[in-house]
Each structure stands twice: as C-alpha cells, then as structure tokens.
Amino acid sequence: MLPPPSSLPSLPPSSLLPSQLLPSSLLPSLLPSLLLRGGALSSSSSSIPPPPSLAPSLLSSLALPSSPPAAVLHMALSMMLHFFGYEYARSATLTLFTSDETGFRDPAALPFALACVFPASYVLLRAYTQLLNKLGPRKALSASALLCAMVLSLLTLLIRASPKQSPAARCLAAALFVFREAYVQLLSTQHWSFMSSIMSARTGSRWFGPIAGLSSASSAAAGLTIRPLVDRGGVHGLTAATVAALLLSAVFAERAYGISERGGFNPAKEWRREKVHRGKREKAGKAVPISDTAAALFRRVPALRFLFVETLLCQGLSTVLNVRFISFLRLAFPRDQDRAVYMGKFYAAANAASGLTQFLVLPNLMPRADKRLVWAFMPLAMGCVMIASLAAAGPSLDLIAGAFLLMKVLEYSVRGVCQELLYVPLDFEARFVGKEVIGMLGYRLGKSGTSLVLSAAGYLGGGLPLQALTSAASAMTAAWCLAIFRLLQFVPAAAAVEKKKGGRGGKVGKGVGWGGKRMAK
C-alpha cells in the first residue's frame, strides 16, 4: 500500500533510491532476473535463472545512480502517482459537473463537454511541443506537471469562491471537467516516452505490462480511499490530493531524468541532436503549427499515420460500446442504487482482469509471441463477440456487458503494451511528439467525434435503439480490424527491432540503455 501523499514530500529527492522503495528482502531475488530478462548481460540468459553468486553484484549495480532499471523504476512510480491522483480528480470533477450547486442537470451537457476536450487537448499539445523544442524532454515534463497542478488548484479555488448555482460556478466546473479529461494523456505519454527511449524491445516486451499494471493498481487503491477523503475534506479535498500526487510525481520524474543524465542514457541527447537538425530546416523564431508538425511526421513515419487512424477507430468503438452498455443498464436496473452497484462490480472486474493480464499474462506472452499476431487478435476477438450479439434473439446484459468488458481489458492491457513496443525503434521526434499527437489528439478526437455523432443521431432520430448501436459497433469493429491489418505492415518482427536498437539514425553514442539499447549522441 502506498503511504499517504502528505507524508512523502518530506523525503528529499536524493534519498529516493530503489533500495528504499522496495523491501530489501525482495530485491536480491527480483531485480537480478529483471536485469537478465532485458538481455543486457547475455542473449541466452532470459530463460535461465541467474546463479546465486550474481545477485549481490547485480543488486549493487541497480542501486547505482546511473542504473537504467533504477531510472525506469522511478519513472514508473511517477506515472503510478499520476494515475493515483487522476482517480481523485475524476471523481471530483464528475461530482462537481453533475452537482445541483455547481453543475448541469441537462443530459446534453456531458456530450457537449466531451466535445470540448479535443480543442483543449490541442491547446495543451501545442504548448507541450513549444516547451519540448525550447527546454527539452526533462524540463518539459516538469513544467507540464507543475502547470497541471496550478490549473487544478486555481479552478478549484475559484469554484469554492463562486456563489452556488451561479453561471460562473457552472462554467468553472465545466472547465475543470474538460481540463481533467485533457491533461491525463499529456503527462502519461511523456512517462512512457522516457521508458520506451531507454528500454530495448525485448526488455519492454516483458516489463511494459507490469509497469502499466502498477498504474492500474494505483487507480484501484485511490478509488478505495475516496470516501474517507471526502468525509474529511469534501469534494474539493480530492482535488488537493490530486495536486499533491502530481507534485510528488514530478519529483520522481525529475529523479529518473537525473539518473539517466549521470548514466549517459538521457533521451535529451537525441533532443539536442534533433534540435540542431531542426534549426537548419526552420527559420529562427518562426513557430510551426502543430498540425504542420503532425502532417510532416506522419509523412516521414507512415507507421504513426496508420496508428493515428487505428486510435481513432479504437476509441470510437469503445465509445459506442460504452453508450450501448449504459443505455441497456437503464432498462435493466431502473433504480439508481441497483445500477450503481452493478457498475461498481463491473469496473472492479475490468480492473481485476486488466491487472491479471498486465502482471501475469503479458510478461510471459509478449517476449515469445509475434507482435503482429497479438495486434490481429484484438479486433478478431471483438469481431466474434459482435457476431454473437448480432445473432442473439434479443439484447442480453451478459453479451452487452461482456463486449464492453473485453474492449476495456484489451484497451488497457494488450493494446497499450503493443502500442508502446511500436514506438521503441522509432526516433526521438516520433516518440516524444508523435506519441503526444496520437495520445492526445487521436485518442480525444475518437471519443469526442463519436460522442457528437451519436448525440446528433439521437437528437434527429428521437433516440438510439440498442439494435442500431449494436450495428454501429459491429461496423466499427470491422473498420478497426481493417485499420490494424494496414498497421501490421509497420509492426517489426522481434529480430528486426533488436537489430535496429543499436542506434537511432545510424549513430551510436556512449550511453547504454536497458537491455543493451544504445543511446544516440
């Protein structure tokens, strides 16, 4: 269990070493195998347990400030704290947005607010690219986290100071809701960009799943502590806890970059090289629109273009399945209490299934399986469920909930790891800028665009029948399947990734990342 956020800032950043974050009794048995599985010591050692005599030396190497696993561990903890605080922010913003005192009663307000998330994400993405170009990835992440903490704090204070049931309070609650929807991807993609920059494909195949599982577990743990926090500090206390978690997350992220700088595997080395090349191509002082940057990046790296389309369709399908699920729940459970109990059990099952997949299945599957087969499995599995839904005599709660549950598990666990592995062999701009474009614009555009289409269809047609939603979900599943099969031509085989990991752009520097990955000068 994580200690309370209020107790952690008292520890100086320099004291937060991996040996203090995990029980000492577990480190000798856990971390040697973690290093060996990355492939840094021996290409044949991933399936052979290390001799006992190696444990002390490997453990001491991890404790050094220049150890790549130590940097990854700190960044994973930073991302875990980010999602821990985000769970508080989600509950607070949803409560304020639907409150009689500060929110909206009109059901059309929520789709409209979700539609505003896309332009908000665009603004944040533009600000991030400017920070990245001027300051580099390390300072850009710190500045992003501090900016998010400041905006959350300011909006919360303004809401508390505004008269209840006033237009100002409602506008501020809507702004807080939209910002919360937008900022989560801004930070998490930067965490992943750092880790995919210093981990090899073989190491990432084994450890991306458990790293994502830490964030899932932290979200679940935060959900269990919401009620006591609300009882003590009210809804606004949740936002204060989010800010504390964000600040602590920034401390761990700064520590991770500090470790990478001392060890010579800092991704900022690639940023400095890219900055020189970018300065030759661009006029001094001329800001390039993010749309032009994304278009040029998609032309240069076709894999990102197809991944962007795949993300749009994946999130669109998830939105349709979500609407179908909620619509049927209203029919199956007319009482709010019964519906709330079922929703709680459903998301508990989704989190449990995702956690088990991330901790137990993916670490053993991804290093051995062909990544192209794993990509293809996702739409084919969803296709089988949608065929069963179409063939059913009538709507069934088991089928409708099962389809949405499967989509959530695939999206949170399998697809997330496959996507991160796709970024590993790409260059700096593709990992740090392209990932933000896809994670913020593609992800949000898929959800916001689908929400607007469904809202317009429901308004013009007098409602959305379940059969129509099932047909729409089936069509989007087919489109998602086609998008993935177009993407598969850019998913490299494991051997190709391992061959390419020796450097980016043909240049190899002195810094060595985790799993034998060489960092460019």
Side-chain angles (χ1 to χ4, degrees), residues 161-519:
S162 300
K164 297 179 179 179
Q165 299 180 343
S166 65
R170 290 188 171 91
C171 291
L172 290 169
L176 183 61
F177 175 85
V178 171
F179 181 78
R180 188 266 304 170
E181 285 280 343
Y183 91 84
V184 59
Q185 295 290 333
L186 173 69
L187 298 181
S188 63
T189 49
Q190 294 182 66
H191 297 140
W192 279 115
S193 295
F194 175 86
M195 291 184 285
S196 62
S197 295
I198 65 175
M199 297 176 74
S200 68
R202 179 167 50 187
T203 311
S205 296
R206 186 172 295 276
W207 291 106
F208 279 164
I211 288 171
L214 285 176
S215 297
S216 298
S218 69
S219 297
L224 296 176
T225 60
I226 287 177
R227 179 169 292 278
L229 276 177
V230 171
D231 292 340
R232 292 187 177 185
V235 175
H236 300 292
L238 294 177
T239 310
T242 299
V243 172
L246 275 175
L247 295 177
L248 187 58
S249 173
V251 171
F252 277 91
E254 179 66 21
R255 174 67 178 171
Y257 268 105
I259 293 173
S260 68
E261 180 69 28
R262 289 190 294 272
F265 51 89
N266 189 353
K269 290 184 176 181
E270 296 177 81
W271 166 73
R272 298 185 187 102
R273 189 188 65 190
E274 291 286 341
K275 187 176 182 180
V276 173
H277 290 277
R278 187 169 56 250
K280 296 178 181 179
R281 297 192 303 263
E282 300 176 359
K283 295 181 180 180
K286 182 179 179 181
V288 179
I290 187 60
S291 57
D292 294 348
T293 301
L297 190 57
F298 287 168
R299 286 193 299 268
R300 185 173 62 83
V301 187
L304 296 181
R305 181 171 70 249
F306 286 99
L307 183 59
F308 183 85
V309 175
E310 185 272 339
T311 301
L312 287 176
L313 294 172
C314 175
Q315 297 309 313
L317 172 60
S318 179
T319 302
V320 174
L321 292 174
N322 188 19
V323 172
R324 188 178 73 137
F325 175 60
I326 294 175
S327 299
F328 190 77
L329 278 185
R330 291 172 180 168
L331 300 176
F333 301 100
R335 294 179 68 248
D336 292 343
Q337 295 86 346
D338 296 337
R339 192 162 59 249
V341 170
Y342 186 88
M343 289 284 286
K345 292 181 179 179
F346 174 85
Y347 281 105
N351 286 327
S354 298
L356 289 175
T357 303
Q358 290 163 334
F359 281 112
L360 300 180
V361 178
L362 294 180
N364 295 306
L365 173 67
M366 298 305 292
R368 298 174 175 84
D370 188 332
K371 309 305 181 293
R372 291 166 290 192
L373 295 179
V374 180
W375 273 102
F377 166 77
M378 293 185 288
L380 294 178
M382 284 303 307
C384 293
V385 175
M386 296 315 303
I387 291 174
S389 299
L390 290 173
S396 166
L397 178 59
D398 292 337
L399 276 177
I400 292 175
F404 188 46
L405 177 67
L406 177 61
M407 186 67 196
K408 290 283 97 178
V409 174
L410 292 176
E411 182 183 350
Y412 290 156
S413 55
V414 181
R415 184 185 176 276
V417 173
C418 288
Q419 178 180 259
E420 293 305 323
L421 289 173
L422 188 62
Y423 286 110
V424 169
L426 302 182
D427 59 24
F428 176 86
E429 187 181 23
R431 282 178 283 116
F432 278 84
V433 179
K435 183 178 292 188
E436 289 286 352
V437 170
I438 293 172
M440 294 191 67
L441 298 189
Y443 186 90
R444 295 305 173 188
L445 181 59
K447 286 187 174 294
S448 299
T450 305
S451 298
L452 282 178
V453 171
L454 292 178
S455 298
Y459 176 78
L460 296 175
L464 291 172
L466 287 174
Q467 189 60 33
L469 290 172
T470 301
S471 300
S474 301
M476 295 204 70
T477 301
W480 185 37
C481 184
L482 292 176
I484 283 185
F485 276 92
R486 290 295 304 273
L487 178 65
L488 288 183
Q489 60 182 310
F490 300 102
V491 178
V497 174
E498 292 300 320
K499 183 178 180 180
K500 190 174 182 178
K501 73 183 179 185
R504 303 190 187 279
K507 296 182 179 181
V508 179
K510 296 181 179 180
V512 180
W514 190 6
K517 191 171 190 174
R518 303 288 297 184
M519 305 303 296

Side-chain angles (χ1 to χ4, degrees), residues 3-141:
S6 60
S7 66
L8 286 175
S10 61
L11 293 175
S14 61
S15 66
L16 298 175
L17 294 175
S19 58
Q20 296 168 309
L21 296 172
L22 293 175
S24 58
S25 60
L26 294 179
L27 286 171
S29 60
L30 172 64
L31 298 179
S33 62
L34 183 146
L35 280 170
L36 283 170
R37 286 171 180 172
L41 300 181
S42 172
S43 60
S44 61
S45 60
S46 58
S47 59
I48 303 175
S53 59
L54 285 179
S57 60
L58 290 174
L59 179 59
S60 60
S61 69
L62 181 65
L64 291 175
S66 61
S67 170
V72 171
L73 176 60
H74 280 81
M75 190 60 73
L77 291 173
S78 175
M79 185 171 67
M80 182 187 72
L81 287 166
H82 161 54
F83 281 105
F84 184 83
Y86 176 77
E87 196 67 28
Y88 291 145
R90 175 160 54 186
S91 297
T93 55
L94 282 172
T95 301
L96 293 172
F97 188 82
T98 57
S99 170
D100 292 336
E101 298 178 350
T102 60
F104 301 85
R105 295 181 180 180
D106 189 352
L110 182 58
F112 181 78
L114 290 174
C116 294
V117 174
F118 175 72
S121 299
Y122 182 88
V123 173
L124 287 178
L125 178 60
R126 182 172 177 82
Y128 164 75
T129 55
Q130 292 178 353
L131 287 174
L132 181 65
N133 292 336
K134 294 179 180 179
L135 304 178
R138 180 177 183 173
K139 293 182 179 179
L141 177 53

